[in-house]
Amino acid sequence: MNTEKDFSPLTPNIVRALNDKLYEKRKVAALEIEKLVREFVAQNNSAQIRHVIQILATEFALSQHPHSRKGGLIGLAACSIALGKDSGLYLKELIDPVLTCFNDSDSRLRYYACEALYNIVKVARGAVLPHFNVLFDGLSKLAADPDPNVKSGSELLDRLLKDIVTESNKFDLVAFVPLLRERIYSNNQYARQFIISWIHVLESVPDINLLDYLPEILDGLFQILGDSSKEIRRICEVVLGEFLKEIKKNPSSVKFAEMANILVIHSYDLIQLTSMTWMREFIQLAGRVVLPYSSGILTAVLPCLSYDDRKKSTKEAASACNHSLMKLVTPEDDVDDEESQTKSSPQSDGSPSKKESDLNGKSYCRISTRSLICCVLCSSDRPAVTLDLDGIVQVLDRHLHDSSTGMMTRIAVLKWLYHLYIKTPRKMFKHTDSLFPMLLKTLSDESDEVILKDLEVLAEIASSPAGQTDASGSCNNSDSKTELHIPGGVRDGQPVTDLSPSTPSMNSYFYKFMINLLKRFSLERKLLEMRGAFIIRQLCLLLHAENIFHSMADILLKEEDLKFASTMVQTLNTILLTSAELFQLRNQLKDLRTQESCALFCCLYRSWCHNPVATVSLCFLTQNYRHAYDLIQKFGDLEVTVDFLMEVDKLVQLIESPIFTWKTQRHPSKTND
C-alpha cells in the first residue's frame, strides 16, 4: 500500500485517509491538505507546494488502486482551492493527472475527475485559458460518455468553461481552430452537439472573429447539419444562419473562394436548401470570385431546377443561383488566357494568375473529403478569377446526354449554351464540334420549349461571325448516322455559304447545320412528320427564311433518296404557302423583277421538281401560269396514288385562298381583315 512509503510533508493520517474507500474520510484528508498548502503559500514555499502536488499526482491520482486515484483527485482539487489566485502557477501539474483520469474505465472515477477539474477551473478562472485546448479535448470525449452522471458532471464543467471564455479577451482562437477542425468530424451525436454548442458560443463573443476561420470548419458544419437528430440540426441551422448574417455584413473580409467548393460538395437532399441558400448569397456577394468554381456550382444547381413543388424553396434558391452565375459571364471571359494575363498585369485586385496558382501547387481542386479544407487554400488572399469554360461545357454536355435530366434542367442547359455563345463565342466554338451532334439530337425532344431553346443555340452557332473561322466540312466526333459532308467549297463560282446576294451570309456551320438537319429528318421520319414544320418555321424566324429555303433546296437537289426528297419538298412547299413567317418570302417570289428573286425561284424550282404538285404551286405563286398549265397537262402521265390525290386536293383548296392573288399582300400584322 502507499502508506508504507514516505509521503512527507503529507502526514500518515492524510495518506491513510486518501486511500480509504469511504468518501467522507477522503474529504477529511482533502481539508487537511488544503490547510497544509495554505501554510506553504503563506511561507511562499513553492518547492513544497510542487512537491505536494507531485505526490498527489504520481502516487495517488495515477495509482493502480482505484481508491487511491479518487483520493488523489480530491487532493489536487484541495490544493487548487488553497492556492487561490496563485493556482495559475501550478495549473499544468494540477490539470494533467486529472485529465488522465478522464480515460479511466471506472465511471465513478471519471465523475470524480470532472468534479476535481471543475473546482480547479473555478478557482483559476481566466488563468486556465492557456490550457484550453487540453481541457476542450478532454471535455469533447466526456460529452459522449455513456454514463449519465459523468455526462452531467462534464456539462457543468463545460458551462463553467464557456462562461470563462465569454468573459475573457485572452482566448487564443488561432491555437484552438486546428483542434476544432479535427473534432468537428466526429460522428457521435453527443460530441457533435458539444462541438456545435461551442461554435455557437464563440460566434457570439464580440472579441472573437470566428468568421476568418469559417473555411476550415464549414465542411464539418455541413456534415453536422446532415445529422439524424432534429435538435442538432436545429442548433447547426442557427449557427450557420448567424454566420451567413455576418457574411452579408462583412463581405469584403470573407474568403469566398475557399468555401465555394464546400457548398458544391454538400448539395445533397438533407441539407440541399441550406447549401443552395449559401451558394446564392456567395454568388451575389462575391461576384466573379466564384467563376473558377462555376462547373461545380452548376453540377449542384442544374438538377434542382426540375424539382416539383415539394421542394419549391430549394428550386427557387437554385434558380436564383443559376441566374446570378450566368450574369457573371461577360465578354471579357472570351479573351485568351495569354491576353488576359497581359492586360491584367499588374492585377488591380491582387489576384494571382491561373498559371501562378498552378505553379504554386495550390490551385483549385474539387474533392469530397475533409482534406478539401487543406487543398483549396490559395497562394494569396484571393484566387485567380478565371471562367472554367471547359468545365462548364462538360457539365452542360453531360446533362444533355443524360436521358433522366428534367425538362427545366434541359432548358436551363440550353440557355447556358446560348449565353456562352453570345458572351464567349471565340472560346465556345472550340467546343462546337463536340456539342453539335447532341444539339441536333435534342431536336427530337418531347418538349416544344426545349426544342425552341435548342434551335436558338443552333441558330447562333450557324450565324455567329466567330464560327466563320472554322473551315472544316464535317462534324468531328459526330454520329456517322447523322453526319453529312458539305459539298465542294464553291458552287457556281461562289462559296457555298454565300447563298444569295439578298440575304446575310452565314458562317461555315450554317450549311453543316442544314445538311445534318435534313439527314436527321431522313432518318427520323416521325420527327419530320410531327415537328418538321415547327422546326423549319422557327429557323426561318431565327436565320431568315430565304437562307433556309435556298440552302435546303440546294441540298435536296443532290438527295439520292427520291421519296424523302419528295416528302421534304412537300413539307417545305406547305410552309412556304401557308406560314405567316414566310410572308415576305412569298411576296419576293411573286415579284420576279430582281436578280435575287429570280435566282431564288430557279434554286427552288430545281428541287421542287421532286414533287409535281409542289412544282405547280410554285409556278402559281410566282405567276408562271403558262408553265403551270404545261405541267398540269403532264399529270395524266403520272401514276395516280392516294398521296398524289391528297396533294392535288390541298392545292385546289389553296388556289381559292389569297395566297395566289396577283396583288402584293399586306403583312398579316398590318391588316385587320
Side-chain angles (χ1 to χ4, degrees), residues 212-229:
D212 285 347
Y213 302 92
L214 183 57
E216 301 192 49
I217 62 173
L218 186 62
D219 180 58
L221 282 173
F222 270 97
Q223 289 201 23
I224 293 175
L225 186 61
D227 195 274
S228 59
S229 167

Side-chain angles (χ1 to χ4, degrees), residues 224-275:
I224 293 175
L225 186 61
D227 195 274
S228 59
S229 167
K230 290 183 179 180
E231 179 61 19
I232 292 176
R233 291 202 305 270
R234 185 192 65 79
I235 300 173
C236 194
E237 284 174 357
V238 171
V239 169
L240 285 168
E242 291 299 319
F243 272 125
L244 196 55
K245 287 180 183 177
E246 287 297 312
I247 288 172
K248 291 179 181 178
K249 289 179 183 177
N250 307 289
S252 60
S253 62
V254 178
K255 301 172 182 176
F256 291 105
E258 296 179 24
M259 294 185 284
N261 206 52
I262 297 173
L263 300 180
V264 173
I265 291 169
H266 294 288
S267 57
Y268 50 88
D269 286 345
L270 200 58
I271 60 176
Q272 199 169 50
L273 177 57
T274 304
S275 176

Side-chain angles (χ1 to χ4, degrees), residues 50-308:
R50 291 189 187 279
H51 187 50
V52 170
I53 294 173
Q54 183 182 9
I55 291 172
L56 290 170
T58 57
E59 300 297 334
F60 290 89
L62 302 179
S63 169
Q64 297 297 317
H65 195 277
H67 297 314
S68 298
R69 294 201 294 274
K70 294 173 185 176
L73 290 170
I74 197 171
L76 289 169
C79 287
S80 179
I81 293 170
L83 287 166
K85 63 179 181 180
D86 292 331
S87 64
L89 301 172
Y90 309 93
L91 277 177
K92 180 172 175 57
E93 294 91 332
L94 290 168
I95 290 174
D96 285 356
V98 177
L99 289 174
T100 301
C101 291
F102 276 13
N103 299 317
D104 200 287
S105 59
D106 185 348
S107 62
R108 292 296 297 168
L109 259 166
R110 296 198 300 274
Y111 175 78
Y112 285 130
C114 280
E115 189 178 57
L117 191 57
Y118 179 88
N119 287 312
I120 294 170
V121 172
K122 186 176 181 180
V123 172
R125 301 296 294 183
V128 302
L129 289 179
H131 307 275
F132 178 81
N133 276 17
V134 292
L135 294 174
F136 182 89
D137 185 49
L139 275 174
S140 67
K141 296 173 183 175
L142 289 187
D145 198 284
D147 187 273
N149 292 322
V150 176
K151 195 178 297 180
S152 176
S154 70
E155 288 171 358
L156 286 173
L157 176 57
D158 180 51
R159 284 198 291 272
L160 174 61
L161 202 55
K162 285 173 180 172
D163 289 341
I164 294 171
V165 170
T166 302
E167 68 189 22
S168 174
N169 59 359
K170 297 180 180 179
F171 181 72
D172 190 352
L173 184 62
V174 175
F176 173 59
V177 167
L179 179 61
L180 177 62
R181 186 178 62 218
E182 177 187 345
R183 288 286 181 265
I184 204 170
Y185 287 103
S186 173
N187 291 322
N188 183 280
Q189 287 190 346
Y190 295 106
R192 282 182 164 185
Q193 194 163 15
F194 171 78
I195 292 290
I196 199 69
S197 68
W198 265 102
I199 295 175
H200 195 194
V201 168
L202 294 175
E203 195 179 24
S204 65
V205 179
D207 294 333
I208 296 178
N209 186 14
L210 197 56
L211 187 62
D212 285 347
Y213 302 92
L214 183 57
E216 301 192 49
I217 62 173
L218 186 62
D219 180 58
L221 282 173
F222 270 97
Q223 289 201 23
I224 293 175
L225 186 61
D227 195 274
S228 59
S229 167
K230 290 183 179 180
E231 179 61 19
I232 292 176
R233 291 202 305 270
R234 185 192 65 79
I235 300 173
C236 194
E237 284 174 357
V238 171
V239 169
L240 285 168
E242 291 299 319
F243 272 125
L244 196 55
K245 287 180 183 177
E246 287 297 312
I247 288 172
K248 291 179 181 178
K249 289 179 183 177
N250 307 289
S252 60
S253 62
V254 178
K255 301 172 182 176
F256 291 105
E258 296 179 24
M259 294 185 284
N261 206 52
I262 297 173
L263 300 180
V264 173
I265 291 169
H266 294 288
S267 57
Y268 50 88
D269 286 345
L270 200 58
I271 60 176
Q272 199 169 50
L273 177 57
T274 304
S275 176
M276 287 296 157
T277 302
W278 274 65
M279 209 176 290
R280 178 189 64 204
E281 297 298 334
F282 270 36
I283 295 170
Q284 292 175 354
L285 293 170
R288 289 178 59 83
V289 171
V290 302
L291 280 181
Y293 311 94
S294 48
S295 61
I297 294 173
L298 283 176
T299 299
V301 165
L302 287 173
C304 301
L305 301 178
S306 292
Y307 284 172
D308 56 26

Side-chain angles (χ1 to χ4, degrees), residues 288 291-292 294 329 333 385-390 392 420 424:
R288 289 178 59 83
L291 280 181
S294 48
V329 181
D333 294 305
V385 181
T386 305
L387 178 66
D388 180 22
L389 186 61
D390 292 350
I392 291 176
L420 292 173
T424 60

Side-chain angles (χ1 to χ4, degrees), residues 506-544:
M506 298 289 104
N507 64 34
S508 54
Y509 277 96
F510 174 76
Y511 214 70
K512 181 188 298 184
F513 175 29
M514 293 298 102
I515 291 172
N516 283 275
L517 177 60
L518 289 174
K519 187 66 175 179
R520 192 153 200 92
F521 283 151
S522 176
L523 295 172
E524 294 186 38
R525 297 300 174 88
K526 187 176 180 181
L527 175 64
L528 174 59
E529 179 184 344
M530 303 298 294
R531 298 287 180 80
F534 171 72
I535 291 172
I536 294 169
R537 285 168 56 197
Q538 293 303 317
L539 287 176
C540 287
L541 291 174
L542 294 167
L543 293 173
H544 300 284

Side-chain angles (χ1 to χ4, degrees), residues 386-519:
T386 305
L387 178 66
D388 180 22
L389 186 61
D390 292 350
I392 291 176
V393 172
Q394 185 178 7
V395 171
L396 298 176
D397 189 46
R398 186 168 66 246
H399 278 87
L400 275 183
H401 276 84
D402 188 353
S403 59
S404 64
T405 300
M407 183 189 74
M408 296 308 297
T409 299
R410 296 199 301 276
I411 291 172
V413 167
L414 293 167
K415 285 182 177 179
W416 260 102
L417 289 172
Y418 181 77
H419 184 72
L420 292 173
Y421 272 109
I422 293 293
K423 299 297 182 181
T424 60
R426 287 202 304 166
K427 289 185 176 180
M428 276 303 293
F429 267 94
K430 297 175 183 177
H431 300 277
T432 299
D433 284 342
S434 61
L435 290 169
F436 200 66
M438 195 60 215
L439 289 171
L440 282 169
K441 187 177 180 180
T442 304
L443 292 174
S444 301
D445 198 275
E446 296 177 355
S447 165
D448 285 352
E449 195 171 351
V450 171
I451 294 175
L452 281 173
K453 294 301 175 186
D454 189 37
L455 288 172
E456 287 181 11
V457 178
L458 287 166
E460 182 59 31
I461 291 174
S463 60
S464 173
Q468 197 64 52
T469 58
D470 182 90
S472 64
S474 64
C475 222
N476 294 336
N477 302 321
S478 62
D479 189 334
S480 60
K481 293 183 178 179
T482 59
E483 179 181 351
L484 277 177
H485 295 272
I486 295 178
V490 295
R491 176 177 55 80
D492 298 332
Q494 296 183 3
V496 293
T497 52
D498 293 336
L499 299 177
S500 170
S502 65
T503 59
S505 65
M506 298 289 104
N507 64 34
S508 54
Y509 277 96
F510 174 76
Y511 214 70
K512 181 188 298 184
F513 175 29
M514 293 298 102
I515 291 172
N516 283 275
L517 177 60
L518 289 174
K519 187 66 175 179

